[in-house]
Amino acid sequence: IVGVHRLETKDLPTTATATKEELIKYFTNMSTMRRLEIVSDQLYKKREIRGFCHLYDGQEAIAEGMEAGMTRKDAIITAYRDHCQALARGDTTYRILAEMMAKQTGSSKGKGGSMHYYNSKERFFGGNGIVGAQMPVGTGLAFAMKYKGEDAFACTMYGDGAANQGQLFEAANIAGLHKLPMIYICENNHYGMGTSAERGSHNTKFYARGDLIPGLKVDAQNVLMVRETMKWAGAYVKKNGPLFLEFSTYRYHGHSMSDPGITYRTKDEVQKVRDTRDPVEIARNMILE
């Protein structure tokens, strides 16, 4: 836990336990996500994937850790960096890649592409191409859950760049007023498009942006830390209303395929994260140790 806003620290999780089988599962799933993104990168450069494509490698512990700490009754909605969320929610690598390649055998019959995966049966509501559009929609999901009396919660995921969108605060205002079972998750990968968080955000404490809504910042490169945070947060919002989470992570590729990703940061910086904070390697090392 890196930062706390309007919460009692004594109530927060501090330990995690996992079986060998669980760790192997997390590692295997994250390794598959990593391979999926590398193949997507290769297919895009071969011009077999067209349009937009935003890669998630470096952030896999969030997608896998969230899934491990939730149930399929709980809803997820995210932005356009969504391939790994789709996989975690039950889609297949074949269908995900086929969708990017505009094939009829794809997840959305080739009509949505990279940014628009969707699986309402598993309560995965996208994949959204408009920056921040998922925030009010996610809040609507939480509103419906409370209205129907469901024992569930909703998560809307967004980046540090989208954290400055006005609709986040409009949605959070409604969530606060109605005490909705809603988690606003900022995936802080430290760069919004081609700008560092420090250059684009006056207040970089994204977990504290909710004003009266409590918040928490966690190092999200360790899958067990994400899992335990989600277990705690889900129980919290169902009882108390909305919460802001900031997951500190990192993206290895550029913002999209048109961004080489090294004009606003150094290759050494990226390599240092690969060497010291890689989520797949952290899981591998936990297993080996």
Side-chain angles (χ1 to χ4, degrees), residues 25-27 29-30 33 59-69 88 223 226-227:
K25 177 187 174 187
Y26 303 154
F27 173 76
N29 290 347
M30 288 193 292
M33 292 174 187
Q59 303 181 207
E60 295 93 344
I62 297 178
E64 183 61 21
M66 283 181 62
E67 198 60 31
V223 65
V226 177
R227 186 191 72 180

Side-chain angles (χ1 to χ4, degrees), residues 269-288:
E269 178 187 308
V270 179
Q271 190 59 48
K272 184 178 179 183
V273 177
R274 285 189 184 275
D275 293 340
T276 61
R277 295 186 65 225
D278 185 273
V280 179
E281 293 307 308
I282 288 171
R284 186 200 305 273
N285 290 333
M286 280 195 288
I287 293 167
L288 293 174

Side-chain angles (χ1 to χ4, degrees), residues 54-56 59 78-83 85 189 251 254-255:
H54 304 81
L55 302 178
Y56 200 74
Q59 303 181 207
T78 187
Y80 36 71
R81 204 178 301 279
D82 61 345
H83 312 154
Q85 272 74 24
N189 58 28
R251 61 167 163 81
H255 169 74

Side-chain angles (χ1 to χ4, degrees), residues 215-263:
L216 189 62
K217 181 177 181 179
V218 178
D219 184 347
Q221 299 302 77
N222 185 315
V223 65
L224 295 183
M225 292 183 185
V226 177
R227 186 191 72 180
E228 295 307 306
T229 300
M230 288 306 301
K231 286 180 180 177
W232 176 88
Y236 178 91
V237 298
K238 285 192 286 186
K239 182 180 179 182
N240 302 293
L243 182 72
F244 271 56
L245 288 183
E246 179 182 344
F247 282 150
S248 179
T249 185
Y250 198 82
R251 61 167 163 81
Y252 292 149
H253 278 88
H255 169 74
S256 67
M257 299 305 293
S258 60
D259 170 19
I262 51 172
T263 55

Side-chain angles (χ1 to χ4, degrees), residues 8-289:
E8 291 290 335
T9 53
K10 63 180 173 62
D11 298 329
L12 302 175
T14 56
T15 59
T17 57
T19 64
K20 280 195 287 188
E21 291 74 23
E22 285 174 331
L23 282 176
I24 289 288
K25 177 187 174 187
Y26 303 154
F27 173 76
T28 303
N29 290 347
M30 288 193 292
S31 297
T32 304
M33 292 174 187
R34 177 67 54 89
R35 187 73 189 134
L36 172 66
E37 298 300 65
I38 290 170
V39 171
S40 300
D41 180 48
Q42 293 168 344
L43 289 170
Y44 197 95
K45 287 169 179 171
K46 288 169 65 179
R47 297 177 67 82
E48 292 186 44
I49 292 174
R50 303 294 185 95
F52 292 96
C53 186
H54 304 81
L55 302 178
Y56 200 74
D57 47 328
Q59 303 181 207
E60 295 93 344
I62 297 178
E64 183 61 21
M66 283 181 62
E67 198 60 31
M70 302 172 68
T71 73
R72 293 288 170 89
K73 292 188 302 180
D74 307 315
I76 294 176
I77 189 166
T78 187
Y80 36 71
R81 204 178 301 279
D82 61 345
H83 312 154
C84 296
Q85 272 74 24
L87 186 65
R89 277 271 142 162
D91 215 333
T92 68
T93 51
Y94 174 87
R95 282 163 46 88
I96 290 167
L97 287 168
E99 182 61 33
M100 279 187 254
M101 298 170 76
K103 304 295 184 183
Q104 193 172 12
T105 50
S107 307
S108 302
K109 301 192 175 178
K111 297 176 181 178
S114 171
M115 299 192 287
H116 297 107
Y117 293 94
Y118 182 87
N119 187 351
S120 60
K121 287 181 182 176
E122 301 295 349
R123 292 205 160 182
F124 174 58
F125 294 94
N128 287 264
I130 305 299
V131 177
Q134 69 278 16
M135 300 167 181
V137 181
T139 307
L141 294 170
F143 188 96
M145 288 170 173
K146 182 159 187 177
Y147 186 80
K148 293 177 179 179
E150 295 179 7
D151 180 26
F153 63 92
C155 302
T156 186
M157 305 171 71
Y158 55 96
D160 45 284
N164 300 318
Q165 290 283 319
Q167 51 197 325
L168 170 61
F169 305 99
E170 295 176 42
N173 183 59
I174 296 294
L177 283 171
H178 291 277
K179 289 187 166 53
L180 301 182
M182 181 71 209
I183 307 177
Y184 295 99
I185 298 176
C186 177
E187 294 183 282
N188 182 4
N189 58 28
H190 301 285
Y191 295 96
M193 298 219 176
T195 306
S196 68
E198 290 72 20
R199 292 187 66 194
S201 298
H202 188 224
N203 177 7
T204 56
K205 291 183 177 179
F206 300 105
Y207 65 96
R209 291 280 200 94
D211 190 15
L212 298 181
I213 297 174
L216 189 62
K217 181 177 181 179
V218 178
D219 184 347
Q221 299 302 77
N222 185 315
V223 65
L224 295 183
M225 292 183 185
V226 177
R227 186 191 72 180
E228 295 307 306
T229 300
M230 288 306 301
K231 286 180 180 177
W232 176 88
Y236 178 91
V237 298
K238 285 192 286 186
K239 182 180 179 182
N240 302 293
L243 182 72
F244 271 56
L245 288 183
E246 179 182 344
F247 282 150
S248 179
T249 185
Y250 198 82
R251 61 167 163 81
Y252 292 149
H253 278 88
H255 169 74
S256 67
M257 299 305 293
S258 60
D259 170 19
I262 51 172
T263 55
Y264 46 84
R265 59 183 179 179
T266 64
K267 288 183 179 179
D268 289 343
E269 178 187 308
V270 179
Q271 190 59 48
K272 184 178 179 183
V273 177
R274 285 189 184 275
D275 293 340
T276 61
R277 295 186 65 225
D278 185 273
V280 179
E281 293 307 308
I282 288 171
R284 186 200 305 273
N285 290 333
M286 280 195 288
I287 293 167
L288 293 174
E289 286 171 14

